[in-house]
Amino acid sequence: MAIDKSLISGNTDMLILKLLEKQDMYGYQMIEELAKQSDHTFELKAGTLYPLLHLLEQKQYLVSYDGETVAGKTRKYYRITDEGKRFLVVRLSEWESYSAAVNKVLSGGVLLAGI
């Protein structure tokens, strides 16, 4: 089932930072890993990812550096910063509160155990 893009767009920064919390990655690797981990629910396009990466870099939530050269092109890797890790903790907390509230409403005002 296709997911409304508006549900995804407000949380893409959190998803990307969560990936980078585990390891440094280059852009295409993030696209592939996000698709894999979400059973292809999240299928980002490069045109969506790279502006987001640049924004996160401007906010100093991540830094980029040149990695290995493959087929004559140098891969640009991204690493989450300490500021990015602090931001991720806040975003995850917001997400937990938000998703719990949505689930509560969807269950008729009853908080479901384990959600």
Side-chain angles (χ1 to χ4, degrees), residues 2-113:
I3 302 292
D4 182 340
K5 290 184 189 298
S6 68
L7 294 174
I8 298 167
S9 65
N11 299 296
T12 309
D13 59 351
M14 176 179 60
L15 299 173
I16 295 303
L17 290 172
K18 187 64 180 174
L19 289 177
L20 292 174
E21 184 182 48
K22 294 179 183 175
Q23 71 180 59
D24 296 359
M25 294 185 183
Y26 57 92
Y28 184 72
Q29 183 181 13
M30 285 182 243
I31 290 170
E32 290 292 305
E33 191 62 25
L34 189 58
K36 181 176 124 190
Q37 288 187 26
S38 68
D39 292 326
H40 296 274
T41 298
F42 304 125
E43 301 257 348
L44 286 184
K45 305 263 188 262
T48 301
L49 177 64
Y50 287 103
L52 175 60
L53 291 173
H54 294 166
L55 179 63
L56 293 172
E57 196 168 18
Q58 287 174 353
K59 292 181 176 183
Q60 299 181 345
Y61 296 155
L62 54 81
V63 294
S64 62
Y65 61 93
D66 290 339
E68 75 260 10
T69 301
V70 177
K73 295 187 115 186
T74 301
R75 287 184 173 157
K76 188 176 204 178
Y77 279 80
Y78 295 87
R79 174 184 301 126
I80 190 170
T81 63
D82 289 340
E83 186 65 26
K85 290 175 185 176
R86 287 189 287 274
F87 177 72
L88 179 58
V89 168
V90 170
R91 290 290 282 131
L92 289 171
S93 177
E94 291 172 347
W95 175 256
E96 298 226 353
S97 295
Y98 173 78
S99 60
V102 168
N103 285 324
K104 188 172 181 181
V105 171
L106 294 177
S107 65
V110 178
L111 188 58
L112 300 175

